Structures are given as structure tokens and as C-alpha cells.
Amino acid sequence: MQPTVRPRGALVDTFGRVATDLRVSVTDRCNLRCSYCMPAEGLDWLPKPQLLTFEELTRLVRIAVGLGVTTVRLTGGEPLLRRGLPELVAQIAALDPRPRIAMTTNGLGLDRLAQPLADAGLDRVNVSLDTIDREAFARLTRRDRLDDVITGLQAAAHAGLTPVKVNAVAMRGFNDESVADLLAWCLERGYELRFIEQMPLDAQHQWDRASMVTQAEVLERLAERFTLTPTGPTVRGSAPAETWLVDGGPARVGVIASVSKPFCGTCDRMRLTADGQLRNCLFARSESDLRGPLRSGASDAELGAQMQRLMLAKKAGHGIDEPSFLQPQRPMSAIGG
Ligand code: SAM
């Protein structure tokens, strides 16, 4: 029988940062092929037996919640591809204390799943949509599914998964010249838009610092059509996005400048991959295997202590600008964004 000793303390690193936000990838599979994330074809999926079951995932989330995690974000791959996802949300929502539950999705399938997910306890969603131009969407994602994403967004708002946020990666030659169109479209529908700088996390290793679209460039383009007023550091807290009021507010737009203005000093995130590997940074080159101990009888206290040890080893920064920087072995789709 397993000892019932619970882990104690919090997830703290040597720089005093505390992890309160756990990103949980539920699958590495995806039904889009965004060029900044995946190759057109030829990426192997994780073998099914390696994927954590909902019971295993919920147990690890419960342990993390016991160590101070207050927000759980389900991601992937495409989380909606994981069969029975509302059941996982219900299991996490039944934890005490109950964490806030969010999800990052490409929106495909949300038309069917938004309401069951909301009923199960999902609090809100971020839907990834880089452009509202059909041709550019199809080129960027390599799938002609713009209408389905838009239907998914509408369903999310209808199910009360608000504020509905839209994530967009600005990509040169695809959507860099139309960022203001996307903002106007989101404002009209009440969606909060956040641009994300392209990071070196693509499976093909084609990221190029010189051609990526920076926060400064996005803001310059938006300012051609809108008046942007910074909301300042108090509003931002530990959020990855820096935000601006649009035309005096209350609507806002955000930019996550992970490359040009890293915010590692306030990072409060840890990541659990679909195959049970814990990561203390998106760009970490090593992981802590929780699946092995979990399946060979480790106690909650042992798993919690392992989480704490990994957090303690978190580096000061992601190091993208250092000459020694090496992209992590896993692409973004297998880590969980
Ligand atoms: N499939 C879901 C989706 O599309 O939102 C969840 C997983 S996806 C990896 C999570 C987020 O990471 C998306 O908003 C996506 O645009 C972003 N992303 C993927 N690769 C990226 C990269 N190389 N740089 C910046 N953001 C990236």
C-alpha cells in the first residue's frame, strides 16, 4: 500500500520564482501544420502507451495543486483531439482547491466541444488564429480550415469561455502586413488578441532571428491604424503578454515578446508533456520523467519532491541570445505551448 504522505511546500527556484501555472499537454497530435511549429508531414507521434491516462494526469495535477499551482492550462498538440477531454476537465475541476482551468486550442472541433467543456468546468480558452485571410491561413497552417476556426471561436464565446483570447504568431510573408486587420476583426467580435513572437521551437529548425517579426514591428503596424496606450507593469504581473489599450480602451491588445524582450524573471510556469515529462522551461534541454516513477508506485510525496527538485534547477533565462543556445529536442507541438 502507498504511504499517504503529501508533498509539502511550494514549487520555488533558486531565484525566488514560484510556479503557480502548469501547462499540461494532453497529446502531441495536431490537425493543422502551422509552418512555425510542424513540418508539412513526417513527424512521428508519441506511442499511445506512453501517453498519460486521465487518472495519471489528474494525479500529477493534484500533486502540483498541493504545491501551489493555481492555474492549469490544457494544451498540445491539439488538445481537442484527445478523446473524452471534458472528462479530464471534470476530474481537474473536482480537485480541492480547484485550480482555474484554461485551454489553448486551434479551435477545430470547438463548435461541438465548447459547451461540454464549459459544463465540465473549463473556465476559458485561447484560440490560435494568425490571420483572417483565407489564402494566407491555408498557406500558414497548410489546411483550408479558416471557417471552422471562426465557428469554434463563436461557440467558445457562446459557451461563456470568456474572455475569449486569440493567439497569433506574426510571420513574415504570411500575416505580418495584416496584423491590424486581425486586430480590427477581433475588436468587432470582443475577442482579446495577443501576438506571439515566433520562437525557435519548430520541428524543422528553420527559425531565423533576422527574419522573425518583432514586437516593435507589430506595434508599428498596429499604430498605423490604432492608438495604443501601454497598460504598464502593474496590469501585466507575471503574464507573458505586455498589453496596450486600443483607442483608449477598454479593449486591449497584447504582444508576447519572448525573443526580443524576454520575461523569464517573472516566469511562473512549468510544463508537463503528454508522455509525463516535466519541464521547467519551454526551452529546457532536459526533462524530469514522472511517468516512470508514477507507473512504478512512487508516492505523492516522492512525485512532489521530484517536481520541486526540477523547479529548483530552473535557469535564470531561456538563453536564446547566448551563443551556446541550442533548440530543445522536442518541437513546440510535443512540449505544449
Ligand atoms: N494546437 C493548439 C493551438 O494551436 O493553440 C495548442 C498547441 S500550440 C503549440 C500553442 C500555441 O503555440 C499556439 O498559439 C501556437 O501559435 C504557438 N506556437 C507554436 N509554435 C510556435 C513558435 N515556434 N513560436 C511561437 N509560438 C508558437
Side-chain angles (χ1 to χ4, degrees):
M1 191 149 88
Q2 270 196 16
T4 52
V5 189
R6 287 285 177 89
R8 295 164 69 93
L11 295 163
V12 191
D13 71 16
T14 53
F15 303 94
R17 293 171 298 190
V18 181
T20 55
D21 180 334
L22 182 66
R23 310 273 162 127
V24 177
S25 173
V26 295
T27 178
D28 59 326
R29 291 172 185 253
C30 194
N31 39 13
L32 295 181
R33 288 290 177 283
C34 303
S35 56
Y36 47 76
C37 191
M38 296 174 89
E41 44 199 291
L43 192 64
D44 289 337
W45 305 129
L46 290 167
K48 205 163 174 206
Q50 288 182 16
L51 295 188
L52 296 189
T53 64
F54 286 172
E55 285 65 31
E56 289 171 333
L57 282 168
T58 306
R59 180 171 173 214
L60 292 179
V61 171
R62 175 172 57 74
I63 294 169
V65 165
L67 291 169
V69 162
T70 53
T71 301
V72 174
R73 175 173 293 276
L74 303 177
T75 181
E78 174 45 47
L80 296 179
L81 290 180
R82 181 79 188 246
R83 198 176 298 232
L85 194 65
E87 176 51 34
L88 176 65
V89 170
Q91 287 183 21
I92 296 173
L95 295 176
D96 182 19
R98 179 201 192 283
R100 280 184 299 274
I101 311 172
M103 180 177 64
T104 303
T105 169
N106 62 26
L108 300 179
L110 254 192
D111 55 336
R112 281 181 299 107
L113 282 164
Q115 195 60 56
L117 286 166
D119 293 345
L122 184 69
D123 295 305
R124 45 176 217 83
V125 286
N126 287 45
V127 177
S128 302
L129 173 62
D130 303 317
T131 173
I132 41 138
D133 179 289
R134 172 183 299 280
E135 181 274 328
F137 181 94
R139 262 195 310 131
L140 190 52
T141 66
R142 303 187 180 103
R143 301 286 186 271
D144 186 11
R145 304 288 305 269
L146 175 62
D147 289 344
D148 299 322
V149 178
I150 293 176
T151 314
L153 271 164
Q154 288 164 345
H158 190 254
L161 296 170
T162 50
V164 174
K165 295 191 181 174
V166 169
N167 289 355
V169 180
M171 291 289 288
R172 188 149 331 274
F174 289 95
N175 60 350
D176 54 322
E177 292 180 6
S178 62
V179 291
D181 294 339
L182 183 60
L183 177 56
W185 188 89
C186 288
L187 291 174
E188 272 168 34
R189 289 157 181 79
Y191 307 144
E192 274 190 45
L193 176 62
R194 265 134 187 63
F195 289 98
I196 311 174
E197 282 183 347
Q198 186 198 2
M199 296 178 274
L201 289 167
D202 57 311
Q204 318 83 287
H205 292 227
Q206 280 171 356
W207 179 85
D208 172 21
R209 172 92 197 219
S211 66
M212 63 160 277
V213 182
T214 60
Q215 177 189 70
E217 192 176 334
V218 169
L219 292 176
E220 204 174 299
R221 291 220 183 249
L222 295 180
E224 289 167 6
R225 208 178 311 169
F226 303 96
T227 304
L228 303 180
T229 317
T231 56
T234 325
V235 172
R236 182 178 186 179
S238 61
E242 210 175 334
T243 56
W244 286 261
L245 293 177
V246 182
D247 292 340
R252 291 189 294 178
V253 64
V255 185
I256 301 179
S258 325
V259 178
S260 67
K261 282 167 81 179
F263 40 85
C264 304
T266 56
C267 180
D268 62 357
R269 290 172 286 287
M270 286 191 103
R271 290 181 155 81
L272 180 63
T273 66
D275 56 342
Q277 310 301 303
L278 193 67
R279 303 175 61 88
N280 58 19
C281 174
L282 202 44
F283 295 94
R285 302 260 316 156
S286 61
E287 307 177 326
S288 182
D289 173 36
L290 293 177
R291 187 184 75 240
L294 181 72
R295 291 185 178 173
S296 51
S299 67
D300 286 0
E302 285 163 345
L303 292 166
Q306 198 178 326
M307 292 179 186
Q308 287 174 308
R309 277 196 299 277
L310 186 72
M311 183 61 191
L312 213 51
K314 188 174 169 102
K315 290 189 179 156
H318 57 43
I320 291 178
D321 280 328
E322 287 162 23
S324 58
F325 175 77
L326 285 175
Q327 200 175 315
Q329 285 93 339
R330 282 182 196 256
M332 180 71 133
S333 59
I335 296 174

